[in-house]
Amino acid sequence: MGTEMTLSIADIERLEGLGHSDFYFTAYDGYAQMKNVDEHCFFLKDGMCSVYKDRPDGCKLYPLVLDMDNDAVVTDDFCPYRHEFEYTEEMKQKLRKLIGVETEEAEVRKRWYDRR
């Protein structure tokens, strides 16, 4: 199945600025999404994140995810440690902004990705 990590413009610019390339694609909804290699994150190397210090914002917020069917911010059932995390309303809003659910950034992102 692989990961489905949405990337922000800032994530892409930060990682490209560090010399990384070909790590994302434009998904069916027009947003950039992290590529998978053997159903794992593009940056997973030897079982560890190779860009941990500069990882995407969505990775920093994980296991917080947006349940699109119910329009709810929840912890990912796949994460065995999901019950050990506490999240603030600010973190939930940050996730919604990252995905573009609540802001005009959705339109900005679409224009940015379309130009690439």
Side-chain angles (χ1 to χ4, degrees):
M1 181 171 141
T3 63
E4 295 181 3
M5 179 60 63
T6 301
L7 300 174
S8 70
I9 294 167
D11 291 332
I12 293 169
E13 289 178 340
R14 181 175 58 257
L15 292 165
E16 285 181 337
L18 294 168
H20 299 289
S21 61
D22 200 34
F23 57 88
Y24 73 95
F25 65 98
T26 302
Y28 68 91
D29 57 5
Y31 292 104
Q33 189 171 311
M34 183 77 70
K35 284 186 177 179
N36 285 284
V37 176
D38 297 327
E39 296 196 18
H40 292 88
C41 172
F42 180 89
F43 291 111
L44 186 67
K45 308 290 186 226
D46 298 321
M48 298 182 73
C49 176
S50 64
V51 295
Y52 186 81
K53 181 177 67 136
D54 301 299
R55 69 194 183 278
D57 289 336
C59 297
K60 292 174 186 174
L61 292 169
Y62 187 82
L64 202 60
V65 296
L66 183 63
D67 176 349
M68 298 296 273
D69 294 334
N70 297 305
D71 189 33
V73 176
V74 298
T75 53
D76 189 347
D77 288 338
F78 182 73
C79 179
Y81 304 105
R82 67 187 174 279
H83 300 296
E84 296 179 23
F85 294 91
E86 291 184 29
Y87 296 99
T88 64
E89 190 60 34
E90 180 182 354
M91 293 169 83
K92 292 177 181 182
Q93 292 303 316
K94 186 173 183 175
L95 180 65
R96 286 181 172 281
K97 280 184 166 184
L98 174 65
I99 297 172
V101 172
E102 293 186 343
T103 69
E104 70 237 17
E105 184 173 333
E107 182 59 30
V108 172
R109 290 165 113 197
K110 178 143 179 36
R111 282 185 269 136
W112 190 83
Y113 296 130
D114 286 347
R115 72 178 171 91
R116 294 186 65 102

